[in-house]
C-alpha cells in the first residue's frame, strides 16, 4: 500500500533563508509524487510533480524537489524564502486514480 | 479557461440532515474525485467518478454517495450528517483516460460545518 510521511508539522524560517520540507514515500511500485500548496481558506495548488522523467523537478514560485529512490524521499526546497511562501504544504503519492496525502507541513516565514 | 469550481463555498447543517455539494471540472477533464479534509489534516480520498460511474472508492461509509452527469460535473451527497463530517470538501478533476501520471487539479472547496 502507498503511504506518504511528512516530517515536521511546522517549519519556521527567516525571509531569505533556505526552505526544506521533508517527504518520504512508501510504494511497492514506482510512484508518481506531487507537492501541493494550500493558502488559508483555499483549495490545493500544484507546485510540482515527479513522473520518472527526471529526478530533479522544478516547480512554480522557485520551488524544486529531488526524487531519491535510495532514500525513498522527495523533499521540497527553495533557496530563498519569501513572506508569500507562508502556507500549508502537502506531499502526495498516486496519480489520476487517487492521491494519498501526507499530513502537511505548515511553513512560517519571519521577516 | 475556468478551473475547477465548487458550490456552495460554505454550508451549515445540523446532525441528521442531508447535504449536496457540487463540482464542475476543469475544461477538457472528464474525471472527478472528491476528498475530505478535516481540520489540521491532509485530504482523504472519498471516491472518483469517470464516465458517470464510480471508479474507485476510499474508506468512507455508504452515507457518502455521488453522481456524475453527462457534462462531467459531479455531486457529493452525505446523508445522516454527523458532527465528524465537518470538514473542507475538495473536488479535483483530471483527464482520466490518459494515464495515472496525469495531474489532479483542485477546486477551492466547500466548508461544511455540522452542528
Amino acid at each position: 500500500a502507498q503511504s506518504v510521511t511528512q516530517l515536521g508539522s511546522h517549519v519556521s524560517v527567516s525571509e531569505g533563508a533556505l526552505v526544506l520540507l521533508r517527504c518520504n514515500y512508501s510504494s511497492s511500485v514506482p510512484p508518481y509524487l506531487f507537492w501541493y500548496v494550500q493558502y488559508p481558506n483555499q483549495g490545493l495548488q500544484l507546485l510540482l510533480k515527479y513522473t520518472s522523467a527526471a529526478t530533479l523537478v522544478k516547480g512554480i514560485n522557485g520551488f524544486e524537489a529531488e526524487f531519491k529512490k535510495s532514500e525513498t524521499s522527495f523533499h521540497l526546497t527553495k533557496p530563498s524564502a519569501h513572506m508569500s511562501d507562508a502556507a500549508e504544504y502537502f506531499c502526495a503519492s498516486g496519480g489520476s486514480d487517487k492521491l494519498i496525502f501526507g499530513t502537511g507541513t505548515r511553513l512560517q516565514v519571519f521577516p | 479557461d475556468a478551473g475547477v469550481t465548487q458550490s456552495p463555498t460554505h454550508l451549515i447543517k445540523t446532525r441528521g440532515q442531508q447535504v449536496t455539494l457540487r463540482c464542475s471540472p476543469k475544461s477538457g477533464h472528464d474525471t472527478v474525485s472528491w476528498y475530505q479534509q478535516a481540520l489540521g489534516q491532509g485530504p482523504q480520498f472519498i471516491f472518483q467518478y469517470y464516465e458517470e460511474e464510480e471508479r474507485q472508492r476510499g474508506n468512507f461509509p455508504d452515507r457518502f454517495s455521488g453522481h456524475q452527469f453527462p457534462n462531467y460535473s459531479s455531486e457529493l451527497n452525505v446523508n445522516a450528517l454527523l458532527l465528524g463530517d465537518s470538514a473542507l470538501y475538495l473536488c479535483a478533476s483530471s483527464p482520466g483516460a490518459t494515464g495515472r501520471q496525469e495531474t489532479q487539479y483542485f477546486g477551492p472547496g466547500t466548508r461544511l460545518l455540522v452542528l
Side-chain angles (χ1 to χ4, degrees):
Chain A
Q2 296 180 44
S3 67
V4 172
T5 302
Q6 291 185 242
L7 301 176
S9 58
H10 289 81
V11 170
S12 297
V13 300
S14 299
E15 192 173 20
L18 171 72
V19 175
L20 171 61
L21 305 182
R22 299 177 187 274
C23 173
N24 288 88
Y25 69 91
S26 171
S27 175
S28 57
V29 298
Y32 298 115
L33 296 167
F34 304 79
W35 276 100
Y36 285 88
V37 61
Q38 186 175 37
Y39 297 100
N41 301 314
Q42 295 188 25
L44 302 175
Q45 179 183 7
L46 178 71
L47 278 177
L48 50 81
K49 68 177 182 180
Y50 167 77
T51 58
S52 77
T55 57
L56 183 62
V57 182
K58 294 188 182 298
I60 62 171
N61 301 338
F63 284 94
E64 63 181 36
E66 186 173 7
F67 174 75
K68 292 187 176 181
K69 185 176 179 180
S70 60
E71 299 176 7
T72 61
S73 69
F74 190 57
H75 301 332
L76 182 70
T77 60
K78 181 174 180 178
S80 177
H82 191 273
M83 296 294 291
S84 61
D85 294 327
E88 187 90 18
Y89 291 80
F90 292 95
C91 181
S93 173
S96 60
D97 48 359
K98 71 176 181 181
L99 292 170
I100 307 296
F101 285 88
T103 52
T105 298
R106 181 166 298 278
L107 175 66
Q108 287 185 302
V109 182
F110 293 100
Chain B
D1 174 29
V4 180
T5 59
Q6 293 185 242
S7 63
T9 56
H10 294 81
L11 207 50
I12 299 175
K13 293 285 187 178
T14 56
R15 281 179 298 174
Q17 286 189 311
Q18 178 265 342
V19 69
T20 297
L21 310 181
R22 295 175 177 82
C23 171
S24 291
K26 185 176 168 66
S27 177
H29 289 182
D30 56 8
T31 300
V32 173
S33 302
W34 287 92
Y35 293 81
Q36 180 196 64
Q37 186 180 16
L39 199 61
Q41 301 294 318
Q44 299 287 320
F45 176 75
I46 303 175
F47 44 53
Q48 183 180 82
Y49 277 83
Y50 171 67
E51 292 188 341
E52 302 180 51
E53 296 284 335
E54 183 181 290
R55 183 159 69 174
Q56 274 203 73
R57 189 179 183 91
N59 189 25
F60 279 81
D62 292 344
R63 298 187 297 109
F64 289 77
S65 63
H67 188 77
Q68 186 177 35
F69 299 93
N71 67 353
Y72 309 125
S73 67
S74 177
E75 288 183 348
L76 164 66
N77 300 290
V78 186
N79 294 322
L81 284 167
L82 304 174
L83 295 180
D85 294 332
S86 296
L88 180 68
Y89 288 85
L90 295 164
C91 171
S93 73
S94 57
T98 54
R100 285 188 63 244
Q101 74 279 7
E102 291 298 330
T103 299
Q104 293 191 34
Y105 292 87
F106 285 80
T110 293
R111 188 164 296 280
L112 172 65
L113 178 60
V114 182
L115 302 177

